Amino acid sequence: MGFALNTECGQFHPQLIELAKAAEKAASQEYSNYHELSARNHQKVLGAFRTLGVTDFHLHGSTGYGYGDLGRDLLDRLFAKVLGAERALVRTHIVSGTHAISLCLFGVLRPGDELIFATGKPYDTLNKVIGDGPAEGYPGSLMEWGITCREVELLPDGSPDLAETVKAISSRTRMVAIQRSRGYQWRPTLSSGAIGEIIARVKKTRADIVCFVDNCYGELVEAQEPTECGADLMAGSLIKNPGGGIAPAGGYIAGKAALVEQVAQRLTAPGLGAELGATLDTNRLLYQGLYFAPLVVQQALMGAVFAGHFFSSLGFEVSPQAGEKRSDIIQAIKLGTRERLIAFCQGIQQGSPVDSHALPEPAGVPGYGRPVIMAAGTFIQGSSIELSADGPLEEPFIAYLQGGISAEYVKLAVLHAAQRMFDQGLLNPMLRII
Ligand SMILES: *Cc1c(COP(=O)(O)O)cnc(C)c1O
């Protein structure tokens, strides 16, 4: 694959283009892994559409109560099949990944129960769900309902501490939660296999503990999903991987049928469960999004691989490193200073199709307890399967880059980011060859 930058060359420093070409060359060997993965996942998805007999009728939605919405019901079965789960619940009524995760916690846990996070501090937006705030717990949080939470710290190398997790289990432990992706942490993402190992250890200690996985950013990045490796329940966002950049909003839950049923009762109301919920005109977009997802995830992975090589060649530490196995679509880049992080995110925004003239600034965002900067020049607000970059304004100022409907667009945006840093004198000492 060539690096077709000729028409755009004028806007980038020639040295940056040279480095981009070299990065592209180095990355192309890794791309082949993702061609293979993508081919497998295309087969998996098409197979599910064919086996379940998706018809034109299913693509149309319902209004009002949404009784008898066969398109909605078949979409649940389609997701379950692709994710290797007994049952799934796929809804635009789930407002975000955080909501999907929160539904799983409140759907399963009861007063007096304990939840253990086996992967250290959970993602920022879960702090208030758990209860962070006043002593009696943030209003409506698990803590306020008398559900306690323990976090088992990761080992120094960022891997989960299995021995401590097992030790933390008590008679009150009802659920062990595992976060697959890195969140805002400099740690490796957990593969489905590694998640399976944690689950096996937990189940050996007490088979009735519910093992839950926050699968955000992990869908279709490997041939197997956590639900195929022992997870009882799993959640994710439709404006990340499985929405394929097409789903306009929503989230999903997948796992054991009885647990998904409990979550459905929590999503709507006891007695209503999954049988209500008008889909309006969204069914087609959710079907189409899943259909596109294997391709879009592949493009995002290729973009991430390129960005890793490119920023590594500029002298920055990156994670994953070249050649490292990936289990999510995130490329983390340690930028070292506040100015660089801001310039990077602003450059990504400038290299985006929507709001390219807006300059993101660090700010408070609901659910995030610390200032963050977020670039998302996306067609769907905040969609991070579309190209986006963000990070907390904290040492060591790491940018988390993810998504991109097409790897070529990722490359251009990454060049814009580097160019902006260069223009502000934030890159110069590192551009060795200039
Ligand atoms: C994105 C993400 C979430 C949920 O975020 P939302 O913005 O609420 O969709 C949760 N956990 C992880 C690890 C994530 O990456």
Side-chain angles (χ1 to χ4, degrees):
M1 201 184 312
F3 204 75
L5 274 173
N6 301 332
T7 51
E8 289 264 353
C9 275
Q11 30 183 335
F12 304 120
H13 191 291
Q15 191 57 48
L16 288 176
I17 292 178
E18 282 313 306
L19 287 175
K21 283 181 176 166
E24 168 77 0
K25 206 165 162 215
S28 62
Q29 289 160 5
E30 271 183 66
Y31 290 166
S32 62
N33 302 339
Y34 299 115
H35 290 317
E36 217 171 285
L37 169 84
S38 165
R40 286 180 72 159
N41 281 330
H42 274 82
Q43 283 177 39
K44 199 178 190 183
V45 167
L46 179 64
F49 271 78
R50 284 168 37 84
T51 306
L52 292 177
V54 175
T55 68
D56 180 71
F57 170 80
H58 294 113
L59 308 182
H60 301 286
S62 56
T63 57
Y65 292 120
Y67 289 133
D69 187 327
L70 298 180
R72 179 195 64 206
D73 297 347
L74 193 71
L75 184 70
D76 285 348
R77 290 172 56 205
L78 191 65
F79 263 70
K81 194 152 191 62
V82 168
L83 299 172
E86 285 178 15
R87 191 175 161 193
L89 188 66
V90 187
R91 294 291 184 277
T92 54
H93 312 94
I94 300 175
V95 303
S96 67
T98 304
H99 186 199
I101 295 165
S102 176
L103 284 169
C104 292
L105 304 182
F106 281 99
V108 173
L109 298 166
R110 295 293 178 267
D113 284 349
E114 181 161 76
L115 161 69
I116 294 176
F117 262 92
T119 43
K121 252 201 145 358
Y123 192 71
D124 291 51
T125 56
L126 294 175
N127 282 340
K128 290 204 164 60
V129 175
I130 291 165
D132 192 29
E136 68 280 11
Y138 191 80
S141 65
L142 291 175
M143 195 192 280
E144 206 190 45
W145 282 95
I147 299 159
T148 57
C149 178
R150 288 176 70 171
E151 293 158 13
V152 178
E153 263 189 63
L154 295 168
L155 293 167
D157 69 354
S159 64
D161 191 334
L162 292 188
E164 278 303 313
T165 301
V166 167
K167 250 202 256 168
I169 292 172
S170 74
S171 58
R172 292 205 300 117
T173 308
R174 172 81 182 114
M175 180 187 278
V176 169
I178 298 160
Q179 182 181 307
R180 179 175 180 181
S181 183
R182 66 191 65 225
Y184 288 148
Q185 284 176 3
W186 192 262
R187 61 112 159 147
T189 294
L190 291 173
S191 65
S192 292
I195 290 171
E197 281 171 35
I198 304 175
I199 294 171
R201 281 290 290 275
V202 169
K203 296 277 184 188
K204 211 172 130 197
T205 311
R206 273 232 342 259
D208 63 330
I209 291 176
V210 175
C211 290
F212 166 77
V213 176
D214 169 356
N215 200 35
C216 282
Y217 287 134
E219 299 87 0
L220 302 172
V221 175
E222 294 181 89
Q224 283 195 310
E225 297 297 330
T227 27
E228 296 168 276
C229 297
D232 298 306
L233 194 62
M234 170 169 103
S237 165
L238 295 189
I239 60 170
K240 293 181 179 175
N241 309 14
I246 308 248
Y252 77 88
I253 319 284
K256 297 269 164 65
L259 295 171
V260 175
E261 176 59 24
Q262 276 180 260
V263 175
Q265 298 296 336
R266 169 76 197 193
L267 169 66
T268 57
L272 308 185
E275 293 184 62
L276 273 75
T279 52
L280 308 176
D281 287 327
T282 60
N283 273 347
R284 177 178 60 79
L285 297 171
L286 271 51
Y287 278 98
Q288 214 170 351
L290 180 64
Y291 182 70
F292 272 99
L295 173 67
V296 171
V297 167
Q298 177 197 7
Q299 294 294 311
L301 284 164
M302 287 166 60
V305 168
F306 168 79
H309 280 274
F310 180 63
F311 272 90
S312 171
S313 76
L314 285 170
F316 294 103
E317 211 182 318
V318 299
S319 172
Q321 295 177 338
E324 207 176 311
K325 195 176 169 301
R326 288 170 191 263
S327 305
D328 67 11
I329 60 168
I330 297 178
Q331 181 63 53
I333 305 159
K334 206 180 269 184
L335 294 169
T337 69
R338 177 189 165 85
E339 291 69 31
R340 284 205 200 104
L341 175 58
I342 294 173
F344 177 91
C345 289
Q346 291 182 340
I348 292 293
Q349 183 83 26
Q350 288 182 313
S352 298
V354 181
D355 292 332
S356 63
H357 295 90
L359 282 182
E361 293 283 347
V365 179
Y368 294 82
R370 45 187 174 172
V372 288
I373 183 162
M374 294 186 163
T378 52
F379 293 93
I380 289 160
Q381 189 193 84
S383 167
S384 49
I385 186 60
E386 296 181 57
L387 184 62
S388 53
D390 44 68
L393 272 287
E394 267 172 21
E395 294 274 4
F397 299 100
I398 298 164
Y400 297 86
L401 177 79
Q402 61 271 315
I405 298 301
S406 143
E408 293 301 329
Y409 287 134
V410 180
K411 287 177 208 165
L412 291 170
V414 161
L415 268 159
H416 276 283
Q419 184 65 44
R420 186 169 179 88
M421 290 162 77
F422 178 79
D423 290 343
Q424 296 188 356
L426 300 169
L427 214 47
N428 201 15
M430 291 203 173
L431 270 184
R432 295 178 219 106
I433 318 166
I434 289 176

